[in-house]
């Protein structure tokens, strides 16, 4: 019996050491979000959903704004504006630093709810996400995320992901085939998906109120700037179905901020991987444009 228990202990230790080794190797190849929960507290945050996570590149922003940003944007289901996102921002922000600059990307999706009552905050979609659950987004090895929200096999941590790579500055670099057939197929598939769910999204006064609270909170530590990123014209038509007078709706938030840059009037001037997300090249150009705007 003692020998059996000894074998179990040895096996357990070997397994623990193996898992510890694998977890220690988790980097930007692991998944699209993990590293954002393993860095120290950050300054000069970029906030938004996946359009922002993939579209705004801190390195490109740095070249024209001279500001070192950190991209703390996630996904439409996890980081629409609300209590969950604001509380996570508070945990991630380095509040010892003043005179910071913040970029908040806004669009109808991030200010809308899929609940029958768009102001039923108890049923907001992000309550089931990692942002709601992660108590400390600043751990070198975040076991809470790895145990509960890492959807792949742990051994994938040791392999290279050739499609998505999360940089240390928070930018999610996505590499997809650029040929016209692949781009058109992805765009048609993605836009079709958005068409099916657009009627489920309704503007939420509660979410808008949390956008205002987020701006007010961040103003304690620096200047807040609002940006509307470009999207494919077909997606823009869907966004207008959710909120037709978007810029008018944004007026209170704009007045609270240091300014608003609306790039949606240039939708046709940029390229998209799937109709929603900017290509790396267009993201680079958009980021430089925003950086130059910040300098002004």
């Amino acid at each position: 019996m003692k020998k059996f228990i000894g074998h179990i202990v040895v096996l357990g230790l070997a397994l623990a050491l193996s898992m510890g080794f694998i977890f220690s190797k988790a980097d930007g190849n692991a998944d699209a979000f993990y590293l954002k929960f393993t860095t120290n507290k950050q300054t000069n945050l970029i906030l938004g959903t996946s359009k922002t996570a993939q579209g705004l590149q801190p390195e490109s922003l740095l070249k024209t704004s001279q500001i070192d940003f950190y991209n703390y944007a996630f996904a439409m289901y996890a980081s629409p504006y609300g209590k969950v996102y604001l509380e996570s921002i508070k945990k991630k922000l380095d509040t010892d630093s003043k005179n910071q600059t913040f970029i908040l990307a806004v669009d109808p999706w991030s200010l809308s709810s899929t609940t029958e009552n768009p102001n039923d905050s108890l049923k907001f979609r992000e309550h089931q996400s990692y942002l709601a659950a992660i108590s400390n987004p600043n751990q070198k090895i975040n076991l809470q995320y790895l145990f509960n929200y890492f959807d792949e096999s742990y051994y994938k941590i040791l392999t290279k992901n050739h499609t998505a790579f999360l940089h240390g500055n928070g930018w999610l670099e996505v590499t997809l085939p650029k040929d016209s057939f692949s781009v058109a197929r992805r765009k048609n598939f993605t836009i079709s998906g958005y068409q099916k769910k657009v009627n489920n999204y309704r503007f939420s006064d509660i979410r808008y109120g949390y956008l205002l609270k987020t701006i007010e909170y961040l103003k304690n530590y620096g200047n807040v700037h609002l940006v509307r990123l470009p999207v494919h014209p077909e997606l823009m038509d869907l966004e207008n179905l959710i909120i037709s007078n978007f810029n008018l709706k944004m007026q209170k938030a704009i007045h609270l901020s240091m300014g608003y840059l609306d790039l949606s009037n240039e939708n046709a001037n940029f390229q998209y991987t799937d109709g929603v997300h900017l290509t790396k090249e267009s993201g680079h150009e958009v980021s430089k444009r925003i950086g130059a705007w910040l300098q002004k």
Side-chain angles (χ1 to χ4, degrees):
M1 186 65 178
K2 289 182 179 180
K3 190 174 182 180
F4 174 75
I5 294 174
H7 286 316
I8 293 296
V9 170
V10 170
L11 182 62
L13 286 173
L15 181 61
L17 289 172
S18 298
M19 295 305 296
F21 172 77
I22 292 172
F23 289 164
S24 71
K25 296 298 181 181
D27 58 11
N29 292 293
D31 77 354
F33 310 114
Y34 175 66
L35 277 194
K36 297 190 181 189
F37 298 111
T38 65
T39 58
N40 295 328
K41 291 190 174 187
Q42 300 291 326
T43 59
N44 305 313
L45 300 179
I46 298 168
L47 304 174
T49 57
S50 63
K51 285 193 291 188
T52 312
Q54 296 181 36
L56 290 190
Q57 303 174 18
E59 188 173 336
S60 301
L61 280 160
L62 178 62
K63 292 178 180 178
T64 49
S65 71
Q66 310 307 311
I67 300 170
D68 192 10
F69 284 97
Y70 184 82
N71 192 321
Y72 199 59
F74 292 89
M76 193 166 71
Y77 69 88
S79 58
Y81 291 104
K83 182 177 181 180
V84 168
Y85 198 16
L86 177 55
E87 292 304 313
S88 186
I89 292 166
K90 290 178 178 179
K91 295 172 185 175
K92 194 66 180 179
L93 182 65
D94 181 357
T95 55
D96 291 330
S97 179
K98 303 295 183 181
N99 301 316
Q100 299 185 48
T101 302
F102 305 100
I103 300 173
L104 276 63
V106 292
D107 61 25
W109 311 98
S110 62
L111 294 167
S112 297
S113 299
T114 56
T115 52
E116 184 175 349
N117 173 2
N119 295 311
D120 186 356
S121 60
L122 294 178
K123 296 181 180 178
F124 280 176
R125 58 190 184 272
E126 64 269 26
H127 285 300
Q128 306 304 317
S129 74
Y130 41 81
L131 278 185
I134 300 299
S135 57
N136 182 357
N138 312 300
Q139 294 179 318
K140 187 173 182 180
I141 298 180
N142 200 310
L143 296 179
Q144 189 177 16
Y145 184 94
L146 289 169
F147 286 146
N148 297 296
Y149 296 98
F150 191 80
D151 292 331
E152 304 287 345
S153 166
Y154 290 132
Y155 288 101
K156 186 182 176 184
I157 291 173
L158 300 178
T159 64
K160 298 298 181 185
N161 187 333
H162 298 292
T163 300
F165 179 78
L166 183 60
H167 288 254
N169 57 23
W171 172 46
L172 179 61
E173 179 182 5
V174 175
T175 304
L176 295 167
K178 298 180 182 179
D179 62 279
S180 58
F181 176 77
S182 296
V183 172
R185 182 177 60 182
R186 288 195 302 269
K187 189 268 290 183
N188 292 337
F189 177 81
T190 304
I191 296 297
S192 175
Y194 275 78
Q195 287 172 335
K196 292 176 182 177
K197 60 188 177 185
V198 67
N199 291 330
N200 295 326
Y201 282 81
R202 291 178 291 278
F203 175 76
S204 169
D205 290 311
I206 296 292
R207 289 205 184 282
Y208 187 64
Y210 269 102
L211 171 63
L212 301 180
K213 290 179 181 179
T214 303
I215 295 171
E216 290 170 340
Y217 173 75
L218 293 173
K219 283 175 67 175
N220 294 315
Y221 306 99
N223 296 322
V224 180
H225 304 264
L226 303 181
V227 171
R228 187 174 188 184
L229 296 177
V231 293
H232 192 281
E234 290 185 38
L235 184 65
M236 186 69 178
D237 291 339
L238 297 179
E239 292 190 353
N240 287 335
L241 293 177
I242 301 174
I243 306 176
S244 59
N245 55 343
F246 186 79
N247 286 352
L248 186 60
K249 286 272 193 185
M250 289 295 102
Q251 286 305 303
K252 190 171 182 180
I254 292 170
H255 289 314
L256 269 180
S257 73
M258 290 293 290
Y260 173 54
L261 179 62
D262 181 7
L263 293 172
S264 65
N265 57 350
E266 299 184 45
N267 288 335
N269 296 337
F270 299 102
Q271 302 299 313
Y272 309 90
T273 59
D274 56 4
V276 178
H277 305 96
L278 291 162
T279 62
K280 288 187 284 186
E281 295 77 14
S282 285
H284 172 67
E285 292 302 318
V286 167
S287 298
K288 288 200 306 181
R289 283 274 301 277
I290 294 173
W293 171 69
L294 292 174
Q295 280 292 79
K296 294 178 181 178

